[in-house]
Amino acid sequence: MKKLFTLLAVIFLMGTMNAQAQEKKFSVYAIGFYNLENLFDTCHDTGKNDYEYLPDGRNKWSGLKYTHKLRNMARVLAEMGTDKLPLIGCAAIGVSEVENANCLRDLCNQEPLKARNFQFCHVEGPDHRGVDCALLYNPALFTIRDVKLVPYIYKLPTDSMRATRGFLVVSGTMAKEHVTIIVNHLPSRGATSYYREEGGSQLRVVKDSLIAEDPDVKLFIMGDMNDDPKDPSMSVALGAKRKIEDATEKTDLFNPWWDIHASGTGTLMYGGAWNLFDQIILSNSLLNQNGKRDYSTLKFWQPQIFRRDYLFQQEGKYKGNTLRTHAGGVWLDGYSDHLPTLVYLVKEQK
């Protein structure tokens, strides 16, 4: 099965290689991230403030709404990556704002994901609303080595009773290489920048420890950062660089979304302007430097914001905005306030 998927992923990178290189064959892989915007089931989780997503809660969250939400999320997840890989899509997708393992099981049982045997990694976290991060993956393309949740630590004494999403660290094998994915959801903009900067600093510590264990690990840091690429949490605290040529050290990171956001596009709209909170940040080991095109190991090719017409409101006052599940107390039977992101990777076949 793996061999079949690899063969289906073969392409020629026309226009990017010299004449000799064009004779080579390459496998392409996709890694994605999607904020599912409140994927809750209809049952109360003890100790969690999930009451607005109960049948008698503010959103009147019923079995019908839940099944529609699952269907909608599965449609997007299954289509991610298919612009380049029409038959297989993504090897792995980090997700945020999912309530529990029950929701993830129901999601993976939706037909377009079930057809690819999608599985999930999840560790129940301490968030007071009960929303967690998880990783969905296609076991034909990505196999799991280790899963752990690194907690987000509140350091101020006044925050001693608070808890939020941690950093889900999933180590695995893809394209016969050691790949590690960190999925996170930093504190919302209801909090000051300090808390996201603290999150960026803590992510840097996790990143440094993973690279110290294996300097060649192919590392992805992804999630809803609740900040744009240029903001201090990403550019200073985490230290993700704007340009590949600046990410020259083993511990350096490259943020491919910085210039994309600077061009005026993003993944969620607020006040008529685009933010780009949904980022996938890459380790130095995934980069080709100084104009090299060495794909003997897994390397970054290009980023993509996943867009489909059905993800946007098509008329009315908010035409052009993302089509959400709820807005203004009205059930829209939509998708999410965020658009998905993904990166494509290339490796030469041998």
Side-chain angles (χ1 to χ4, degrees):
M1 182 63 73
K2 278 189 179 179
K3 185 176 181 181
L4 173 61
F5 275 113
T6 300
L7 289 173
L8 292 171
V10 174
I11 70 165
F12 287 98
L13 300 182
M14 303 303 294
T16 66
M17 308 289 181
N18 59 31
Q20 181 180 3
Q22 284 180 4
E23 298 174 2
K24 298 178 180 180
K25 292 183 178 181
F26 300 85
S27 293
V28 179
Y29 302 85
I31 298 283
F33 173 78
Y34 192 24
N35 182 324
L36 303 182
E37 193 192 19
N38 297 317
L39 178 56
F40 282 82
D41 61 22
T42 60
C43 302
H44 174 56
D45 280 5
T46 303
K48 302 297 184 181
N49 185 15
D50 58 0
Y51 297 104
E52 64 182 315
Y53 284 93
L54 295 177
D56 59 353
R58 186 178 67 182
N59 290 318
K60 304 299 180 185
W61 195 241
S62 64
L64 174 68
K65 291 181 179 180
Y66 178 52
T67 55
H68 277 234
K69 178 73 171 180
L70 290 169
R71 179 201 63 192
N72 291 350
M73 295 296 91
R75 179 184 183 183
V76 180
L77 293 162
E79 291 186 16
M80 288 171 63
T82 57
D83 291 334
K84 297 288 190 289
L85 300 165
L87 298 180
I88 60 175
C90 286
I93 306 171
V95 296
S96 65
E97 293 197 20
V98 60
E99 184 181 20
N100 52 37
N102 179 57
C103 293
L104 290 161
R105 276 189 292 271
D106 289 344
L107 181 61
C108 288
N109 277 326
Q110 298 298 300
E111 191 53 43
L113 299 179
K114 186 177 181 180
R116 297 182 199 160
N117 192 31
F118 257 73
Q119 308 295 314
F120 67 88
C121 297
H122 168 255
V123 179
E124 186 72 27
D127 184 82
H128 70 284
R129 290 182 65 234
V131 291
D132 295 324
C133 295
L135 184 77
L136 309 179
Y137 66 96
N138 183 337
L141 299 170
F142 188 90
T143 57
I144 302 300
R145 296 188 185 188
D146 183 59
V147 180
K148 62 182 177 181
L149 184 68
V150 178
Y152 176 103
I153 304 297
Y154 282 100
K155 295 185 176 180
L156 297 179
T158 52
D159 297 323
S160 60
M161 300 302 293
R162 299 177 68 178
T164 192
R165 289 89 48 176
F167 313 119
L168 182 70
V169 181
V170 181
S171 174
T173 300
M174 188 174 78
K176 299 181 180 180
E177 298 187 42
H178 181 199
V179 170
T180 296
I181 301 172
I182 305 173
V183 190
N184 75 107
H185 187 177
L186 293 185
S188 76
R189 288 211 160 182
T192 63
S193 178
Y194 163 82
Y195 293 99
R196 293 179 296 283
E197 291 176 55
E198 188 58 46
S201 296
Q202 292 180 34
L203 276 171
R204 183 189 283 232
V205 172
V206 176
K207 175 263 299 183
D208 287 344
S209 67
L210 292 169
I211 294 174
E213 291 174 6
D214 179 3
D216 296 321
V217 64
K218 302 301 173 70
L219 180 62
F220 301 84
I221 300 175
M222 64 172 62
D224 178 356
M225 308 301 187
N226 272 307
D227 268 336
D228 293 319
K230 68 179 181 179
D231 290 328
S233 62
M234 297 292 98
S235 61
V236 179
L238 180 56
K241 310 291 186 182
R242 183 173 187 172
K243 303 293 184 183
I244 286 179
E245 54 265 32
D246 294 330
T248 56
E249 301 297 325
K250 275 285 190 182
T251 57
D252 282 346
L253 299 170
F254 167 58
N255 192 334
W257 310 99
W258 196 317
D259 284 344
I260 292 174
H261 183 239
S263 73
T265 190
T267 55
L268 72 159
M269 184 173 282
Y270 181 77
W274 284 102
N275 291 107
L276 210 164
F277 292 173
D278 306 270
Q279 299 162 45
I280 305 173
I281 296 168
L282 312 167
S283 62
N284 164 274
S285 58
L286 285 157
L287 307 176
N288 270 318
Q289 300 279 0
N290 302 319
K292 291 182 179 179
R293 292 189 174 95
D294 177 11
Y295 296 98
S296 59
T297 67
L298 199 63
K299 291 295 173 64
F300 168 67
W301 179 23
Q302 60 182 234
Q304 180 188 24
I305 297 175
F306 180 82
R307 295 174 178 271
R308 293 290 189 271
D309 287 346
Y310 64 76
L311 293 175
F312 297 91
Q313 298 198 47
Q314 300 298 317
E315 57 187 18
K317 178 180 178 181
Y318 297 104
K319 181 179 179 180
N321 280 26
T322 50
L323 180 60
R324 306 180 61 176
T325 303
H326 290 96
V330 177
W331 181 50
L332 303 179
D333 194 16
Y335 295 83
S336 173
D337 53 342
H338 294 247
L339 296 174
T341 51
L342 56 150
V343 293
Y344 292 101
L345 312 155
V346 173
K347 185 175 182 179
E348 181 184 340
Q349 289 191 359
K350 296 180 180 179

